[in-house]
Amino acid sequence: MSEKPKPNIGLDLQRIHRVITRGVAVAQEKCEAFAEAGFPDNTTREGFWKYCQGLEANAHGHHRTEDDLFFPYLRSRITGTDFDQLMAEHQELHGILAKMQAAREAGSLADLGRALSEMAELWHPHIEKEQRELSPEIMAGVMTIPEHIEMAQKAAAHSQEHAQPAPLAVPFLLYNLEADDRAHFLAVMPPVLTQQLVPVVWKDEWAPMKPFLLE
Ligand SMILES: [Fe+2]
Ligand SMILES: [Fe+2]
């Protein structure tokens, strides 16, 4: 029998990165396909632009959580990580997310494609650095289990506040994750969110994103 994994902020970091990494890859692939062949119908068009909005929201929320909570907390505990550089990269990513938003609002697949390429180019080295320097092993060494739990709760509340609109951002987060990772977040989210808002109240709002999400 495998033991239940201990709460670890380094693992949560990897999970959120997987959400955004999948989002960028799916958006890039579909953007190219729709630029070439057009949208098959209006529901797909609506769903695609909502998916892009969900991606922007989650990337923005994640960077805010790192800048406002995570990095200030870790600065005094971890040496050798250039937190200022990571935050400067967030600023660059912020500029790219603004381009994605402008492309979305203009309905321009060409502009979106360019912004997504820029995003992918910066995103991958950025998260590789974070995952190497803030790995689960390193995090386990500098924080106690109760500190991991407390930070996870604060991070969830903070990113939910900043990842807006929530009716797109929360389903985007959950359904860009494979089942195991999704179960992890479902277990820590408030029941009103997972049992009422996402499956019932917000359903019609996010349902058009479904062709781009995991089951
Ligand atoms: Fe980051
Ligand atoms: Fe990150």
Side-chain angles (χ1 to χ4, degrees):
M1 283 251 310
S2 65
E3 225 181 294
K4 197 167 177 264
K6 293 192 176 81
N8 187 306
I9 282 295
L11 290 175
D12 285 343
L13 200 70
Q14 293 178 1
R15 291 186 181 102
I16 297 286
H17 289 165
R18 284 199 277 277
V19 170
I20 297 166
T21 297
R22 182 179 188 272
V24 172
V26 169
Q28 270 192 300
E29 184 199 320
K30 299 296 178 182
C31 179
E32 210 171 297
F34 296 144
E36 200 171 298
F39 289 102
D41 52 61
N42 283 336
T43 310
T44 309
R45 181 200 309 270
E46 184 195 354
F48 178 70
W49 290 118
K50 284 187 167 182
Y51 187 84
C52 292
Q53 194 173 1
L55 171 60
E56 291 160 35
N58 275 276
H60 178 68
H62 175 59
H63 298 150
R64 284 294 302 262
T65 301
E66 289 183 336
D67 287 347
D68 298 348
L69 275 182
F70 222 43
F71 294 173
Y73 180 82
L74 291 171
R75 259 180 205 274
S76 61
R77 297 171 183 237
I78 291 181
T79 52
T81 289
D82 189 344
F83 289 105
D84 291 336
Q85 173 61 30
L86 290 173
M87 287 172 73
E89 288 171 11
H90 290 169
Q91 280 306 309
E92 267 187 81
L93 288 162
H94 189 70
I96 297 168
L97 291 171
K99 289 185 199 176
M100 282 177 60
Q101 182 183 347
R104 175 170 56 77
E105 285 167 358
S108 169
L109 289 169
D111 289 349
L112 179 72
R114 277 187 288 273
L116 284 167
S117 298
E118 279 187 58
M119 173 89 184
E121 205 174 311
L122 187 53
W123 173 253
H124 291 285
H126 177 79
I127 63 165
E128 272 163 30
K129 194 159 40 181
E130 286 180 347
Q131 290 179 185
R132 188 176 60 242
E133 297 184 11
L134 310 175
S135 68
E137 295 73 25
I138 291 171
M139 294 292 109
V142 299
M143 292 166 71
T144 64
I145 298 284
E147 285 173 332
H148 280 280
I149 294 170
E150 192 190 343
M151 180 54 85
Q153 285 166 347
K154 281 188 187 164
H158 192 80
S159 55
Q160 270 157 39
E161 185 189 336
H162 292 282
Q164 294 292 338
L168 297 182
V170 177
F172 183 96
L173 168 78
L174 290 173
Y175 293 100
N176 277 289
L177 287 169
E178 301 287 348
D180 280 5
D181 285 337
R182 189 183 309 154
H184 173 86
F185 283 118
L186 284 171
V188 295
M189 283 179 173
V192 64
L193 199 58
T194 58
Q195 291 169 25
Q196 290 175 37
L197 294 174
V198 171
V200 183
V201 181
W202 295 343
K203 181 80 191 293
D204 290 347
E205 180 70 18
W206 66 270
M209 292 197 293
K210 275 191 173 177
F212 310 101
L213 299 172
L214 294 166
E215 291 281 312

